[in-house]
């Protein structure tokens, strides 16, 4: 392998690392964070990101997939999804209970109406005098 080939390979590798790092920086900016300073051709320093609590919290809140890729996932998104699922299940249970109560109330109102039309006591079934 001659020098020109080695230089070309090193340049292509650095260019690939730079492109990946720029994509990560773009996603960090889209999540509302500020990317850390780095040299051209160097990868993103994940240990420095782990030490930046503001950036870690913004990534966990706004781009959990990138946070997982960078190794700074706190589980916040999963906890939030579980809470939302629990709220949805509680709302569905409440709707089912409300529907059952509505049906019971409608049946009781129908029964009272029928007894009022017939002139009978709804509790005893006897006729009013």
């Amino acid at each position: 392998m001659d020098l020109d080939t080695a230089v070309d390979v090193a340049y292509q590798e650095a260019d690939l690392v730079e492109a990946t790092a720029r994509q990560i920086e773009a996603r960090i900016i889209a999540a509302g964070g500020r990317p850390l300073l780095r040299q051209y051709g160097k990868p993103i320093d994940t240990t420095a990101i782990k030490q930046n609590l503001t950036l870690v919290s913004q990534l966990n809140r706004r781009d959990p997939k990138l946070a997982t890729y960078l190794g700074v996932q706190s589980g916040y998104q999963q906890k939030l999804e579980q809470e939302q699922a629990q709220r949805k299940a509680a709302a569905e249970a409440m709707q089912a209970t409300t529907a059952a109560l509505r049906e019971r109330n409608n049946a009781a109102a129908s029964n009272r109406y029928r007894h009022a039309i017939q002139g009978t006591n709804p509790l005893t079934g006897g006729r009013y005098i």
Side-chain angles (χ1 to χ4, degrees):
M1 180 184 241
D2 63 340
L3 180 62
D4 291 335
T5 307
V7 169
D8 286 342
V9 169
Y11 177 77
Q12 290 173 354
E13 288 175 359
D15 195 37
L16 181 63
V17 168
E18 181 64 22
T20 305
R22 286 182 187 245
Q23 289 175 347
I24 292 172
E25 287 174 344
R27 286 187 71 164
I28 289 173
I29 291 170
R34 186 173 110 339
L36 304 173
L37 297 177
R38 63 175 185 80
Q39 289 183 342
Y40 179 86
K42 299 288 182 187
I44 298 288
D45 186 11
T46 57
T47 57
I49 290 176
K50 289 178 185 177
Q51 294 172 355
N52 188 338
L53 295 179
T54 304
L55 182 57
V56 168
S57 67
Q58 285 178 339
L59 287 175
N60 279 312
R61 192 174 309 119
R62 297 184 181 146
D63 195 351
K65 292 178 182 177
L66 180 62
T68 302
Y69 176 77
L70 295 174
V72 294
Q73 178 71 322
S74 67
Y76 171 79
Q77 191 67 24
Q78 287 82 1
K79 184 178 175 183
L80 186 64
E81 288 172 0
Q82 287 176 348
E83 289 174 359
Q84 289 174 347
Q86 289 173 349
R87 273 188 244 127
K88 184 178 178 183
E92 290 173 356
M94 184 69 76
Q95 286 176 348
T97 304
T98 303
L101 284 173
R102 185 179 301 116
E103 190 65 33
R104 231 172 83 193
N105 287 340
N106 288 340
S110 174
N111 188 30
R112 285 190 308 271
Y113 179 74
R114 189 180 78 246
H115 282 287
I117 294 295
Q118 293 175 352
T120 57
N121 186 335
L123 297 176
T124 62
R127 296 190 67 72
Y128 288 119
I129 298 176

